[in-house]
Amino acid sequence: MAAATPYATAYTNTAVLVPRLSTTTTTVRCSALPYLPPPRLSSASFPASTKHFAECRRSSVSQIGASSSEDTSTSLDASELFTDLKEKWDALENKTTVILYGGGAVVAVWLSSILVGAINSVPLLPKIMELVGLGYTGWFVYRYLLFKSSRKELATDIESLKKKIAGTE
């Protein structure tokens, strides 16, 4: 009989440790964010919010009416842009050169995106490149932007580069 008491106490201990199911319903959350109770709306703030909604709706309707008059001006600008581009395209002598340069630019952008993707896949290299970029940015600010005389020098360099590109130099 003494052997039966240890088993009985073990079973009663495990029976006590079994959690009881609650009778209230619980909602299942799929987020790790804490639960926030819904805001309580007072009866005094409710009419003010509906008034604000009505004012916003009226202003959006007036904006839609104003934008419809602007749509005709933007379509005129687009047609003017296309006619201007057509005139410039017809005035070009070496159209094949422009097409080759444009195609070369597209290929260069595509290849550079492939190169950046390959560099980004190497584990430590992107962080090193960020440090190089930050270092160069710091040097550029110190060299060209920090002092007034160096800003003037940068402005003259940019103007001379513009003249070289435009072919006026």
Side-chain angles (χ1 to χ4, degrees):
M1 189 128 157
T5 56
Y7 292 117
T9 56
Y11 286 127
T12 57
N13 287 342
T14 57
V16 171
L17 295 177
V18 174
R20 290 181 19 190
L21 295 175
S22 65
T23 58
T24 60
T25 59
T26 58
T27 58
V28 177
R29 293 186 298 156
C30 296
S31 174
L33 297 175
Y35 173 74
L36 296 175
R40 294 182 182 168
L41 296 175
S42 65
S43 60
S45 67
F46 184 70
S49 64
T50 56
K51 181 180 176 184
H52 176 71
F53 176 72
E55 289 174 2
C56 290
R57 188 171 177 194
R58 271 187 251 129
S59 66
S60 66
V61 168
S62 65
Q63 288 174 353
I64 291 171
S67 66
S68 64
S69 64
E70 294 174 2
D71 288 342
T72 57
S73 65
T74 57
S75 65
L76 292 176
D77 292 338
S79 63
E80 182 179 318
L81 176 72
F82 286 128
T83 56
D84 188 36
L85 284 175
K86 187 178 183 220
E87 289 174 4
K88 288 186 179 185
W89 180 254
D90 291 337
L92 283 176
E93 295 175 7
N94 292 331
K95 293 179 183 172
T96 56
T97 305
V98 172
I99 291 172
L100 286 174
Y101 280 148
V106 168
V107 168
V109 167
W110 176 66
L111 285 175
S112 65
S113 72
I114 289 174
L115 181 68
V116 167
I119 288 173
N120 201 20
S121 67
V122 177
L124 194 57
L125 207 52
K127 296 296 180 187
I128 293 172
M129 297 301 258
E130 284 182 25
L131 288 175
V132 168
L134 284 172
Y136 182 76
T137 302
W139 173 83
F140 185 84
V141 166
Y142 175 75
R143 172 69 176 90
Y144 289 111
L145 302 178
L146 198 58
F147 304 109
K148 187 175 183 178
S149 61
S150 61
R151 286 192 298 265
K152 287 181 181 178
E153 179 186 348
L154 178 64
T156 57
D157 288 346
I158 290 173
E159 289 300 320
S160 67
L161 183 63
K162 283 182 189 177
K163 288 179 182 177
K164 284 181 184 178
I165 291 172
T168 58
E169 190 175 289

